[in-house]
């Protein structure tokens, strides 16, 4: 019995949804451990498209249990809308197959508004937030004034908690000349949806302990990517939570000794949404074509993603930071038509060559990538399910990536379809 953590090794959008869905055929339980409804996952199953934001990818599979851990920030209205939306597509969501941590913090309307206010007034310093209120909610969590799922159980407790959080937010809003939130109105809205939210609420740490004891296979699903980690990413152009696989423990309450295999989802090229440094970005026709063929638009926001060559320096760095055991390489087929393909193997900064991403934001913007070039394969790989059927130049590119980043490639995805995957190593059976 193994428990597997799936994380993105780049800036997110690596195709985690498909891989988690594919792996969940073996898992019994699928758990989200950080982030919020800013993390979009697109699944294509029998040509039916599912766009998930908060719900774990395992929800589309019958007989699996899906969980939102305490590390997730939950917009209760967005969650209920998503449940309603997916039920229309024939997916059952019940307290038997879906649970949320009673300790999870709630995103409230003023969180989203504060997100928008800050971003609109940031000028050239825009971070590129999804404006979903994620950051302001995490701030309240750390500031010990957040409303948590469990607070919905008691009207008197909810009133006290709202008083604390609104004292903070209304003071800021007053200074910004924005409308003041009234405690009673917000309390009424929360109590109105409380029964629907609370029926899914449980002490997740206890549930997971019981699953481990009964030898269930657990799949932990990360959101965003390691380069958006608030400590180890391209700060300040990052998300507001830790995205490293170690967060699977703190974000759920399951001890780290119960986590067995870390799978890093890695796109065969590089993309980024929003602002921030991007050393290998291609602001040319090649970048445009990668975006078009790869359908590089955000699931949540529909924002266009910036595209560039594979940055081996960055992926090698995230592998070392996170302890990734194996790589799931995605979107290989997007490179099919290229004459040549490049991998960034080093940077140049102020006339010196370096082999890691510096911590300074200023330095990150000023580094110049140094590339190694490989011949393209100029033939279709879409839908290939066996390594032997890949063109020789595609295999050479894959082996070059594997050798440079220092981690085994355990699977290769050749289309958005669930079964178009070449399995080289099963994370649950290693």
């Amino acid at each position: 019995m193994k428990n597997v953590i799936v994380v993105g090794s780049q800036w997110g959008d690596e195709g985690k949804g498909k891989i988690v869905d594919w792996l969940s055929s073996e898992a019994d339980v699928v758990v989200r451990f950080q982030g919020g409804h800013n993390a979009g996952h697109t699944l294509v199953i029998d040509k039916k498209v599912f766009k998930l934001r908060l719900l774990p990818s395992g929800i589309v599979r019958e007989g699996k249990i899906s969980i939102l851990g305490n590390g997730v920030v939950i917009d209760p209205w967005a969650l209920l809308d998503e449940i309603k939306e997916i039920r229309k597509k024939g997916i059952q969501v019940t307290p038997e197959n879906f649970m949320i941590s009673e300790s999870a913090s709630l995103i409230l309307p003023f969180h989203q508004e504060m997100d928008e206010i800050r971003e609109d007034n940031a000028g050239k310093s825009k971070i590129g937030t999804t404006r979903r209120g994620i950051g302001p909610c995490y701030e309240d969590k750390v500031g010990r004034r957040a409303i948590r799922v469990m607070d919905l159980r008691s009207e008197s407790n909810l009133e006290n908690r709202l008083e604390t959080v609104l004292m903070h937010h209304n003071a800021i809003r007053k200074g910004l000349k924005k409308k003041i939130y009234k405690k009673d109105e917000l309390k009424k809205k929360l109590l109105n949806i409380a029964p629907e939210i609370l029926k899914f609420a449980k002490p997740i740490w206890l549930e997971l302990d019981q699953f481990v004891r009964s030898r269930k296979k657990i799949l932990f699903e990360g959101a965003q990517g390691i380069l958006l980690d608030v400590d180890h990413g391209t700060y300040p152009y990052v998300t507001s939570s830790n995205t490293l696989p170690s967060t699977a423990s703190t974000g759920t309450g399951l001890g780290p000794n119960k986590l067995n295999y870390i799978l890093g989802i890695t796109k065969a090229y590089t993309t980024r949404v929003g602002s921030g440094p991007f050393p290998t970005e291609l602001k040319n026709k090649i970048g445009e074509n990668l975006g078009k063929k790869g359908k590089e638009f955000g699931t949540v926001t529909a924002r266009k993603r910036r595209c560039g060559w594979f940055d081996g320096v960055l992926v090698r760095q995230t592998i070392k930071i996170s302890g990734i055991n194996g790589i799931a390489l995605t979107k290989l087929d997007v490179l099919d038509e290229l004459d040549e393909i490049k991998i960034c193997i080093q940077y140049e900064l102020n006339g010196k060559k370096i082999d890691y991403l510096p911590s300074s934001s200023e330095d990150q913007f000023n580094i110049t990538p140094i590339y190694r070039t490989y011949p393209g394969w100029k033939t279709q790989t879409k839908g290939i399910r066996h390594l032997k059927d890949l063109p020789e130049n595609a295999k050479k590119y894959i082996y070059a990536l594997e050798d440079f980043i220092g981690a085994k490639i355990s699977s290769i995805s050749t289309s958005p379809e669930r079964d178009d995957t070449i399995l080289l190593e099963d994370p649950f059976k290693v």
Side-chain angles (χ1 to χ4, degrees):
M1 187 275 297
K2 281 192 177 278
N3 299 319
V4 176
I5 309 171
V6 173
V7 292
S9 70
Q10 296 154 305
W11 277 293
D13 310 309
E14 299 95 348
K16 290 186 294 296
K18 171 195 165 167
I19 300 297
V20 171
D21 169 63
W22 180 66
L23 287 172
S24 65
S25 62
E26 284 193 68
D28 302 299
V29 184
V30 183
V31 189
R32 274 275 309 272
F33 55 86
Q34 50 77 221
H37 63 312
N38 58 338
H41 289 163
T42 300
L43 312 179
V44 181
I45 301 165
D46 299 327
K47 303 197 183 303
K48 188 180 286 188
V49 178
F50 297 91
K51 294 190 175 183
L52 306 177
R53 295 170 291 280
L54 257 177
L55 292 171
S57 299
I59 199 72
V60 300
R61 283 192 180 268
E62 193 174 346
K64 311 297 178 181
I65 296 171
S66 293
I67 294 174
L68 296 181
N70 55 275
V72 179
V73 287
I74 299 172
D75 182 325
W77 295 278
L79 175 60
L80 294 177
D81 285 345
E82 190 172 341
I83 290 173
K84 184 178 179 182
E85 181 183 318
I86 202 166
R87 280 173 174 165
K88 287 180 181 177
K89 295 189 175 184
I91 303 298
Q92 296 297 313
V93 183
T94 69
E96 284 68 47
N97 75 339
F98 176 60
M99 306 173 190
I100 61 179
S101 170
E102 60 185 9
S103 302
S105 297
L106 297 178
I107 298 175
L108 302 177
F110 50 76
H111 289 132
Q112 184 171 337
E113 289 180 25
M114 184 55 65
D115 219 350
E116 292 172 347
I117 290 167
R118 287 175 179 169
E119 193 73 352
D120 288 340
N121 289 283
K124 292 183 180 179
S125 300
K126 277 184 170 62
I127 291 174
T129 171
T130 56
R131 299 169 179 254
R132 293 295 193 269
I134 311 297
C137 183
Y138 272 117
E139 287 177 38
D140 281 348
K141 175 181 177 178
V142 174
R144 294 167 293 186
R145 55 181 174 266
I147 307 296
R148 301 199 288 175
V149 171
M150 65 180 72
D151 294 324
L152 300 179
R153 291 197 178 112
S154 164
E155 183 175 346
S156 60
N157 183 57
L158 179 60
E159 184 160 336
N160 291 335
R161 300 301 303 149
L162 282 171
E163 207 165 281
T164 299
V165 73
L166 288 177
M167 181 174 66
H168 173 82
H169 280 272
N170 280 339
I172 296 173
R173 296 180 70 85
K174 189 175 180 180
L176 295 171
K177 295 181 170 53
K178 301 294 181 181
K179 74 167 186 176
I180 301 301
Y181 269 85
K182 295 181 180 177
K183 178 183 64 176
D184 290 343
E185 287 181 9
L186 193 50
K187 183 179 77 169
K188 185 178 179 181
K189 288 180 180 179
L190 285 168
L191 289 175
N192 187 46
I193 61 168
E196 284 300 305
I197 296 295
L198 288 173
K199 69 182 181 183
F200 300 113
K202 291 185 179 178
I204 293 306
W205 66 270
L206 185 57
E207 296 290 330
L208 289 174
D209 181 66
Q210 291 171 349
F211 290 142
V212 168
R213 289 175 182 275
S214 56
R215 302 190 66 75
K216 301 288 187 186
K217 291 180 182 176
I218 306 172
L219 186 61
F220 293 87
E221 176 184 13
Q224 290 89 37
I226 291 169
L227 290 169
L228 292 175
D229 184 275
V230 71
D231 286 304
H232 298 282
T234 48
Y235 190 91
Y237 302 94
V238 293
T239 193
S240 298
S241 61
N242 287 108
T243 61
L244 265 64
S246 53
T247 314
S249 181
T250 54
T252 62
L254 185 67
N257 61 326
K258 302 296 193 299
L259 307 174
N260 309 110
Y261 189 98
I262 301 168
L263 180 67
I265 314 302
T266 306
K267 199 177 285 186
Y269 49 102
T270 310
T271 63
R272 173 161 203 170
V273 172
S275 306
F278 187 169
T280 64
E281 183 173 11
L282 293 169
K283 297 180 180 180
N284 56 21
K285 192 173 181 181
I286 296 175
E288 285 290 322
N289 288 339
L290 286 174
K292 286 177 185 175
K293 187 164 185 188
K295 295 183 173 59
E296 297 296 353
F297 298 91
T299 301
V300 172
T301 62
R303 288 185 300 174
K304 186 178 178 180
R305 295 175 188 142
R306 300 152 64 191
C307 298
W309 294 122
F310 185 87
D311 194 328
V313 178
L314 281 182
V315 173
R316 184 175 60 186
Q317 185 166 322
T318 60
I319 286 170
K320 291 178 186 298
I321 289 168
S322 62
I324 285 171
N325 299 107
I327 289 291
L329 191 67
T330 64
K331 293 200 169 184
L332 182 71
D333 56 299
V334 176
L335 305 178
D336 285 351
E337 298 171 7
L338 295 173
D339 293 315
E340 60 180 29
I341 301 165
K342 297 183 180 182
I343 299 174
C344 175
I345 58 166
Q346 223 171 8
Y347 300 134
E348 186 174 309
L349 177 64
N350 300 325
K352 294 181 180 180
K353 291 181 179 180
I354 57 173
D355 57 3
Y356 65 94
L357 183 73
S359 298
S360 163
S361 179
E362 184 179 18
D363 288 344
Q364 290 170 4
F365 276 111
N366 290 328
I367 55 179
T368 301
I370 298 171
Y371 292 111
R372 186 176 291 158
T373 303
Y374 296 84
W377 40 92
K378 303 289 287 183
T379 186
Q380 183 172 299
T381 61
K382 186 174 182 179
I384 289 178
R385 299 181 182 182
H386 301 283
L387 185 65
K388 64 180 177 61
D389 296 329
L390 286 175
E392 283 305 309
N393 281 350
K395 285 190 271 191
K396 286 178 182 177
Y397 178 69
I398 291 165
Y399 296 144
L401 290 186
E402 185 176 58
D403 182 62
F404 185 81
I405 62 179
K408 181 179 177 61
I409 291 179
S410 62
S411 63
I412 303 163
S413 172
T414 57
S415 97
E417 290 289 343
R418 177 189 279 171
D419 295 325
D420 289 344
T421 306
I422 301 169
L423 179 63
L424 303 174
E425 177 178 272
D426 189 334
F428 282 112
K429 295 176 181 175
V430 176

